[in-house]
Amino acid sequence: QVQLVESGGGLVQAGGSLRLSCVASGRTSSTYATGWFRQAPGKEREFVATIRWTSGNTRYADSVKGRFIISRDSAKNTVYLQLSSLKPEDTAVYYCAADNVGRYLYPTLGNLYTYWGQGTQVTVSS
């Protein structure tokens, strides 16, 4: 019912920046929140940030707080993740996800999201 397509990943040096985009289509009106997660090789999927669609209120993982900014453009059905001051440990596949249930105001667990994008690779070199 909701399709998500991420873009904007790439190779960047430590300290650099990237902006990831996630374009949503389908029944987007049912979305309560959109989240960004990441998964590095050999590691579990990790919560990065979430934003409530209506209010724009946000929450961040401690590991990215102060460096990443999540935002959304409702008119474009797009959520962004601005990554700054990148570190090699930020290297991962980044996924966006849509919460169409609304059980929690700020869902931080992957199981709380129904729809997922295909992911975009972010590689930070040292």
Side-chain angles (χ1 to χ4, degrees):
Q1 294 183 346
V2 176
Q3 296 79 45
L4 305 170
V5 179
E6 304 99 329
S7 63
L11 175 64
V12 64
Q13 291 186 336
S17 301
L18 286 172
R19 190 182 75 162
L20 309 183
S21 299
C22 176
V23 180
S25 60
R27 302 184 67 179
T28 58
S29 61
S30 63
T31 298
Y32 290 91
T34 302
W36 284 96
F37 292 77
R38 65 186 183 184
Q39 187 166 21
K43 295 185 178 181
E44 297 293 325
R45 182 177 56 193
E46 178 187 22
F47 168 75
V48 176
T50 187
I51 183 169
R52 293 195 61 78
W53 199 250
T54 300
S55 68
N57 290 342
T58 61
R59 293 291 186 273
Y60 298 90
D62 289 341
S63 60
V64 306
K65 195 174 299 181
R67 299 188 298 121
F68 294 2
I69 299 175
I70 187 172
S71 62
R72 55 101 172 88
D73 186 334
S74 297
K76 297 181 179 180
N77 290 318
T78 302
V79 63
Y80 304 96
L81 186 68
Q82 179 68 46
L83 303 85
S84 301
S85 301
L86 283 164
K87 306 174 181 179
E89 51 262 45
D90 294 320
T91 296
V93 177
Y94 284 71
Y95 300 90
C96 66
D99 169 21
N100 282 34
V101 177
R103 181 178 180 182
Y104 297 98
L105 290 178
Y106 304 101
T108 59
L109 300 177
N111 289 339
L112 298 174
Y113 293 83
T114 303
Y115 303 103
W116 293 80
Q118 82 289 347
T120 185
Q121 176 72 47
V122 172
T123 303
V124 183
S125 64
S126 58

